Amino acid sequence: MDDESAEIELLEQNLAKTRQISQRMTSKLEKTILPLYTSTQVLTRRGGNIEKALLKIDEVASNQEGVAAEEALILRGPQPNQLETYKDALERLNASIAFKANARDSSDTARLVETGAKKLAQLYTKLVAEGSSGSIPLPGANISSNPFPPSLLSTLRPLVSFLRTLPVPSTHPSHPAAPSIFSCLKEAQRGYADMRGTWTRRFLESSGKRILDRAETGIDPIEIGKEFGSWTQSVFSIARDEYDLLVELSAIPGQVGSSYTLLLNPVLAMFSTTSTSLVAFVKRSLHKYGFVALSAYEALLGLQPLWEEVARLRGSDGGRKESNEFRDALQTIKSLCLRLFPEVLADVKLPPSMASANKFGDTNTGILADTTTNTVAFLNRIPEVFSASTDILYSLGDGNWKMGEGVRVAKSAKTEAAPNVLEHYIYDFVCAAVSNITTVADTQRRPPFGTVFRLNNIAYLRKHIVLDPQHDALIDYLSKPTQEVLNSNFRTAKSAYFDANFSPLMQALTDDPKEKGKTATKEKFTRFYDLLDEVLERHRMAPVLEDDEESREQIGSDVIKFVIPSLKAFTQKHKEKEFSKNPQKYIKMPADEVENRLKSIYR
C-alpha cells in the first residue's frame, strides 16, 4: 500500500509539472499567434464586405438593365397583340413612382410614363381613324346605321379600359405626369369626336344630295318630302348611336357631353345645309313644289322626340344652351307651308286676263283650263299629307287663308274635329275654282264655245273630286256643301250647254203663228240644217267631255232625246202639207241621219 501511494503521489507531481509546462507553452503560443488571428479576422470581414458589394453591384446592374429594357419597350410603343406587355411595363413604372421602389429619378420615370401614355393615345387615334374611313354608301342604299368595324372594337375596348386607368389630376393629384397625360387624353378624345363627326357627315351627305338631285329631275314631290324625312331620321338615329359609341370608347368619360357636341357640329351643319337647299328648291315655284314642303313637314313632325333626345344628350355637359338646327329647319319649312294654302287659293281666285281668256276662244275651248287640272291635282294630294295640312290650316286659323278679304279669324286650338278646317278650306278652294271657270266661260267671244268650256271643266272637277277621285280618301274631306257646289254647277253648265248649242235648233223647228205659209217652213228647215252644220263644226273644234266617256254618252243620249223627236214631228207635219214640190231640197238629211251625226259628236 505504501508503495502504491508513493507512486500515485509521484504521478501527481509529474502531472502538475506537465500542466505548468503546457500553460507556459500555451501562453507563449497565444502571444505568438494573436497578431495573425487578428489580421485574419479583418481579412474575413473585408472579404464579406467585398462579397456584399459585388452582390449589390450585380443587383444594381440588373435593375439598370431592366429599366433600360422597359424604356426601350415604352419608346417603341405598343406592338400588335402585345398590349398587355405594354400595360404591365407602364404599371411597373407608375408603381415605382408611387412607392419609390428604386433610386431612379421620379421625374425621369414620370416622363417615361407620359411617353407611354402618348403612345397609347396615338394607337387609340389610329384605330378610331381606321374605323372612321372607307367607302360611303351608294346612292339609295340603306343608311339607318353606321356601325363601327367589330374587329377594331375588339382591340379598342381593352385599350380604352387601360387609358381610363392612367394617372390624371382627378385620380392621381401627386403624380408628376398627371397633367400632361390628361391633356394628351383630352386631345385624343377631341380627335375622336372630330374624326367620327367628319366621317358621319361624309357617310350621310351624299344621300342628302341625292334627294336634291332627284327633286330636280321631277320625281313626285310627296315622295321627295318622304325621302327627306327618312334621311333626317337616319341622321338623328346615327347621331344617337354615335353617343352610345362615344360613351363606350371615350378616354375621359367625364367629358362625353362636350365631345358629343364637337362630334355633332359637322353632322348638324350638313343637315342644315341640306334642308336649306331643299327650301331654296321649293321656293323656286311654291305652287309646283309645295307638296315637297308639306310632305317633308309631315315627316319631320314625327321626328321631334328623336331630335329632342339627341339635343338633350348634346346639352348634357354643363347645361350649355345649344342651337336648335331641327327646330330652325322645321320652322322654315312650315313657313313655306303657311304660304302655300293662301297663295294657291289666291291664284285660283285671280280673274282671267285677256290673254288667258283668248286662250280658250274658238277652237281651244275643248282644252281644260290650268285652274281645273291644278285644282284636281292639288286636292287629290291633300289626303296624302293630311296631318301636315290640318296642322298648317289650324296654324293659319279657320278662314285666314282668304288673303285680301280683310277678315282675320282667331286661331283655334286643335280638336278631334281636325278634318273640319280642311273641309272648310276645300269648300273655299272648290268655290274659287268654279267661279274662275265660270268667269272664263262668260268672257268667250261666242257663248256656245263658252258653254262647252264650262261644261268640260266643271264636269272634270266633279268627276275627279266627287265621283271618282284619284285618292279615295278625298271624299272623306268633302262636306255636303262642297259636293253640292260641284253637282249644282254641273247641272247649270249642262243646261247652259243645251241652251246655247241646241235650243236654237229647237227654236227653228217651232211653229210660230206669225210665220205661216210654205216660205216660212222652207226657211225653218234651211235654218235648222244650217244651225246643225254649225253645231257639228263647233264640236269638231271643241270636243265635249273627252276624258269622261260615261258622261259624254249620257249627254249625247239627252241631245238625241231633245232634238230628234221634234225633228221627226216637224218633218212629218210639213211633209203632209206638201210645203215644196222638192222637199229634199230643204230636208237635207232624214232624222235618222241627223241622229247619227249627233251621236258622232259624243263617240
Side-chain angles (χ1 to χ4, degrees):
M1 285 294 294
D2 292 338
D3 291 338
E4 291 177 358
S5 298
E7 286 180 3
I8 291 170
E9 182 178 356
L10 180 62
L11 287 170
E12 288 177 350
Q13 289 175 355
N14 288 334
L15 181 59
K17 288 180 181 180
T18 301
R19 189 180 294 113
Q20 290 175 355
I21 293 171
S22 295
Q23 288 178 346
R24 285 197 297 270
M25 290 179 68
T26 299
S27 297
K28 186 175 180 179
L29 182 60
E30 286 179 350
K31 289 178 181 180
T32 302
I33 294 176
L34 181 60
L36 179 60
Y37 176 74
T38 301
S39 299
T40 300
Q41 284 186 322
V42 172
L43 290 174
T44 300
R45 285 197 300 273
R46 287 178 178 175
N49 291 337
I50 290 170
E51 183 67 25
K52 290 179 179 179
L54 290 173
L55 290 173
K56 192 65 176 178
I57 290 171
D58 289 341
E59 180 183 350
V60 171
S62 177
N63 288 338
Q64 290 295 335
E65 290 177 0
V67 170
E70 287 189 342
E71 183 174 359
L73 175 65
I74 296 302
L75 294 176
R76 187 167 62 250
Q79 301 301 304
N81 303 319
Q82 292 184 357
L83 181 60
E84 287 299 323
T85 303
Y86 202 79
K87 287 166 52 179
D88 292 342
L90 277 179
E91 287 173 348
R92 286 193 297 271
L93 291 175
N94 278 323
S96 71
I97 294 175
F99 299 106
K100 314 290 184 190
N102 57 48
R104 183 177 179 83
D105 185 76
S106 294
S107 61
D108 291 340
T109 305
R111 280 194 292 270
L112 193 56
V113 171
E114 178 185 344
T115 300
K118 289 180 178 179
K119 295 288 186 180
L120 288 171
Q122 289 172 1
L123 175 61
Y124 171 83
T125 301
K126 176 178 177 292
L127 292 172
V128 172
E130 289 179 13
S132 305
S133 61
S135 58
I136 60 176
L138 295 174
N142 180 17
I143 55 169
S144 59
S145 63
N146 178 25
F148 200 89
S151 59
L152 295 177
L153 272 179
S154 61
T155 304
L156 267 172
R157 287 187 177 116
L159 174 59
V160 169
S161 297
F162 183 61
L163 288 176
R164 292 176 179 179
T165 67
L166 291 175
V168 293
S170 61
T171 58
H172 297 75
S174 62
H175 196 290
S180 59
I181 291 175
F182 182 68
S183 177
C184 172
L185 293 180
K186 282 204 304 183
E187 187 64 29
Q189 188 155 312
R190 190 179 298 112
Y192 173 98
D194 181 66
M195 287 186 288
R196 291 303 298 172
T198 300
W199 167 244
T200 302
R201 176 187 61 78
R202 286 187 58 236
F203 187 83
L204 294 163
E205 191 172 35
S206 61
S207 296
K209 289 180 178 178
R210 177 176 180 268
I211 295 171
L212 300 175
D213 293 340
R214 282 168 57 79
E216 294 279 3
T217 60
I219 301 299
D220 178 69
I222 289 182
E223 186 63 30
I224 292 297
K226 289 179 178 179
E227 288 183 12
F228 178 75
S230 298
W231 175 79
T232 301
Q233 183 174 11
S234 295
V235 172
F236 295 158
S237 295
I238 290 175
R240 177 63 184 83
D241 293 343
E242 284 296 323
Y243 179 83
D244 292 336
L245 187 64
L246 176 61
V247 169
E248 181 180 4
L249 300 181
S250 171
I252 309 175
Q255 295 194 356
V256 167
S258 58
S259 298
Y260 190 53
T261 298
L262 181 61
L263 186 155
L264 281 181
N265 285 341
V267 178
L268 295 181
M270 177 268 301
F271 167 74
S272 296
T273 299
T274 304
S275 62
T276 299
S277 298
L278 186 72
V279 168
F281 170 78
V282 174
K283 283 183 176 178
R284 293 184 197 172
S285 175
L286 185 58
H287 295 190
K288 184 176 181 181
Y289 303 120
F291 279 100
V292 172
L294 273 175
S295 179
Y297 180 69
E298 181 160 291
L300 294 186
L301 285 176
L303 297 178
Q304 289 191 94
L306 180 57
W307 163 253
E308 288 169 2
E309 183 178 5
V310 171
R312 177 181 59 80
L313 295 173
R314 177 175 64 169
S316 62
D317 185 37
R320 181 160 50 95
K321 186 177 181 181
E322 300 286 350
S323 58
N324 196 319
E325 293 81 359
F326 176 76
R327 180 195 60 204
D328 295 342
L330 187 65
Q331 286 301 117
T332 303
I333 294 173
K334 184 177 183 179
S335 67
L336 288 177
C337 298
L338 289 169
R339 285 176 45 199
L340 175 64
F341 287 96
E343 289 187 15
V344 170
L345 180 60
D347 273 5
V348 170
K349 288 182 177 181
L350 283 176
S353 63
M354 185 61 67
S356 65
N358 291 336
K359 171 184 175 183
F360 298 105
D362 299 337
T363 60
N364 292 325
T365 51
I367 300 174
L368 292 172
D370 291 342
T371 295
T372 302
T373 54
N374 291 343
T375 296
V376 168
F378 185 80
L379 292 182
N380 270 291
R381 310 279 349 230
I382 289 292
E384 298 179 56
V385 285
F386 170 75
S387 296
S389 299
T390 53
D391 184 274
I392 294 299
L393 292 173
Y394 266 107
S395 296
L396 281 169
D398 196 345
N400 284 338
W401 46 77
K402 300 176 184 179
M403 294 195 308
E405 296 188 10
V407 178
R408 293 293 297 175
V409 180
K411 297 178 183 179
S412 57
K414 266 194 173 182
T415 66
E416 293 182 359
N420 287 345
V421 68
L422 184 56
E423 290 177 1
H424 297 165
Y425 179 82
I426 291 176
Y427 173 80
D428 289 341
F429 196 78
V430 167
C431 287
V434 168
S435 176
N436 187 290
I437 290 167
T438 302
T439 302
V440 173
D442 291 343
T443 58
Q444 297 302 305
R445 290 174 296 180
R446 290 186 283 180
F449 282 96
T451 63
V452 174
F453 172 82
R454 183 180 181 185
L455 177 62
N456 282 343
N457 284 273
I458 296 297
Y460 186 89
L461 290 178
R462 176 172 173 265
K463 173 179 172 59
H464 294 285
I465 295 176
V466 177
L467 301 180
D468 187 23
Q470 179 183 348
H471 199 294
D472 293 339
L474 177 62
I475 197 69
D476 296 334
Y477 310 118
L478 297 180
S479 63
K480 288 184 178 179
T482 302
Q483 297 181 50
E484 183 55 31
V485 164
L486 289 170
N487 288 330
S488 63
N489 272 274
F490 175 72
R491 292 192 294 269
T492 301
K494 184 177 176 181
S495 176
Y497 167 75
F498 275 98
D499 286 344
N501 289 277
F502 299 103
S503 289
L505 290 175
M506 302 304 295
Q507 290 171 1
L509 299 176
T510 301
D511 288 323
D512 188 343
K514 297 179 181 179
E515 299 178 351
K516 297 181 179 180
K518 296 179 179 181
T519 300
T521 301
K522 294 176 182 178
E523 290 177 352
K524 285 182 178 294
F525 274 115
T526 300
R527 178 168 177 74
F528 174 84
Y529 286 106
D530 287 345
L531 289 172
L532 177 63
D533 288 341
E534 289 182 11
V535 167
L536 295 174
E537 180 63 23
R538 184 182 307 132
H539 282 79
R540 279 193 291 271
M541 293 187 293
V544 175
L545 304 179
E546 282 191 300
D547 74 322
D548 189 351
E549 181 179 354
E550 183 178 349
S551 296
R552 187 172 66 251
E553 289 180 355
Q554 181 60 50
I555 286 181
S557 176
D558 291 343
V559 167
I560 300 302
K561 292 176 182 178
F562 185 58
V563 175
I564 298 305
S566 297
L567 175 61
K568 287 181 176 180
F570 186 81
T571 302
Q572 182 65 32
K573 175 182 177 181
H574 289 285
K575 268 188 174 182
E576 293 174 355
K577 293 181 179 181
E578 297 183 354
F579 69 94
S580 173
K581 293 180 180 180
N582 185 16
Q584 301 303 322
K585 178 180 178 181
Y586 301 99
I587 305 175
K588 295 182 178 180
M589 62 184 77
D592 290 345
E593 186 175 347
V594 171
E595 180 177 345
N596 289 333
R597 293 286 186 90
L598 290 175
K599 285 182 178 179
S600 68
I601 296 175
Y602 306 101
R603 287 174 184 162

